[in-house]
Amino acid sequence: MYKHLQERYAPRPPVNVGTLVKMKAEGEKIAAITAYDASFATMVDDAGVDVVLVGDSLGMVIQGHDTTVPVTLNDIIYHTRAVAKGLYRPFLIADMPFMTYASREQALENAVRLMQEGGAKMVKLEGGAGQVEIVEFLASHDIAVCAHLGLKPQSVHKVGGFRVQGREEQAAEQMLKDAQALEAAGADIVLLECIPAALGKHITEQLHVPVIGIGAGPDTDGQILVLYDVLDITSGRKPKFSKNFLAGRDSALEAIKAYTQAVKSKEYPGPEHCF
């Protein structure tokens, strides 16, 4: 059975890279969120989310670590496989954990595992111009790639903590150059985290591929939040860009629907969520 031909003409056809490019071109905001299990995956699908990321953020919100560094490839494969079971429409991206893409061959082997064993449709990796060769190699093997710039949580020990990136003019210029280089290498999406809103806008305008932001201002092509922040069940201090969408609502589903609608209507993020 050619299931993909049936899905193409379904009332809710699955999102793919082409869908996201079209959304950027037409000015329709992309609503993205993290998920880590089948139950929540079904819920975010029902809420109308476009993109789901199985992020290595699971190391902090599920496993209780202080950083994402301890997360293993097997952890991501396990959770991606579970999430894939609950999704129909959203496009599924999986993080490549710390030091699982240190060489072209290692990156290819691990990306294949995320797709074949986990069911991911795209892999995400952190890094700037230093990852151009890796992105180009994966793209040459027809693997869809999301590049991650700005605050890179896997590098937290190197940069000295979770800090806003790109505040200085030179750093901002370098980030734009890195984004353009990664796009040229074959990255299909660029994710920007914790950067000034003006820089998020500038990079988005300069790239042809969709740009998804988290703490990158309101002018990126889409937004992503950690599911647990949307539901306000993350303990401790919250990031500036997080928002409790469960407040005043009766269920987690309604909260995720409210988040999705807020992204689509450009209500979120507001000035209070930006740097």
Side-chain angles (χ1 to χ4, degrees):
M1 178 185 293
Y2 297 107
K3 184 179 179 183
H4 65 286
L5 295 179
Q6 290 179 302
E7 292 176 341
R8 185 183 303 171
Y9 301 104
R12 297 173 64 245
V15 174
N16 56 38
V17 170
T19 310
L20 301 175
V21 171
K22 182 179 179 183
M23 291 173 73
K24 177 185 177 81
E26 295 179 351
E28 179 183 352
K29 293 293 186 180
I30 299 165
I33 200 168
T34 67
Y36 313 102
D37 61 53
S39 296
F40 272 123
T42 300
M43 195 176 295
V44 301
D45 194 332
D46 291 342
V49 168
D50 303 305
V51 173
V52 171
L53 169 68
V54 179
D56 57 7
S57 50
L58 68 87
M60 301 173 76
V61 300
I62 290 180
Q63 297 175 335
H65 299 300
D66 292 331
T67 72
T68 64
V69 172
V71 177
T72 68
L73 184 70
N74 285 336
D75 290 336
I76 297 290
I77 290 172
Y78 172 86
H79 286 278
T80 303
R81 186 164 56 238
V83 168
K85 296 289 187 182
L87 294 184
Y88 172 74
R89 179 180 173 274
F91 189 68
L92 180 57
I93 306 175
D95 259 335
M96 298 195 74
F98 178 67
M99 290 301 292
T100 60
Y101 46 99
S103 69
R104 300 190 310 170
E105 292 71 22
Q106 182 193 33
L108 179 60
E109 178 182 353
N110 291 333
V112 168
R113 288 195 64 197
L114 286 169
M115 297 176 75
Q116 289 188 330
E117 298 176 40
K121 297 176 181 177
M122 175 181 280
V123 297
K124 181 171 77 65
L125 50 83
E126 298 181 8
Q131 298 302 337
V132 164
E133 184 181 358
I134 301 294
V135 171
E136 193 169 42
F137 191 66
L138 293 178
S140 72
H141 287 80
D142 297 327
I143 293 174
V145 179
C146 174
H148 182 154
L149 293 170
L151 173 63
K152 302 183 290 289
Q154 292 174 15
S155 305
V156 63
H157 297 309
K158 178 71 172 178
V159 301
F162 296 94
R163 298 178 178 178
V164 179
Q165 303 295 306
R167 288 191 187 275
E168 299 79 18
E169 182 178 352
Q170 184 176 354
E173 290 177 357
Q174 186 60 53
M175 197 179 302
L176 172 59
K177 290 178 181 178
D178 288 354
Q180 292 172 323
L182 289 162
E183 177 184 57
D188 301 279
I189 296 176
V190 171
L191 188 147
L192 301 175
E193 180 170 357
C194 280
I195 66 172
L199 179 58
K201 182 176 188 292
H202 184 51
I203 293 176
T204 301
E205 291 172 343
Q206 297 300 312
L207 297 187
H208 299 290
V209 299
V211 177
I212 296 176
I214 177 167
D219 297 305
T220 53
D221 299 309
Q223 301 291 332
I224 186 167
L225 277 182
V226 172
L227 174 65
Y228 286 23
D229 289 342
V230 170
L231 301 179
D232 197 39
I233 54 177
T234 305
S235 60
R237 185 178 178 182
K238 311 289 194 301
K240 180 177 182 178
F241 50 77
S242 70
K243 180 177 179 179
N244 175 12
F245 284 90
L246 187 60
R249 297 181 175 90
D250 296 330
S251 68
L253 176 59
E254 290 305 312
I256 301 168
K257 284 182 177 179
Y259 161 70
T260 303
Q261 181 55 37
V263 171
K264 297 286 186 181
S265 67
K266 305 179 185 180
E267 176 189 342
Y268 174 85
E272 69 273 21
H273 306 118
C274 301
F275 300 102

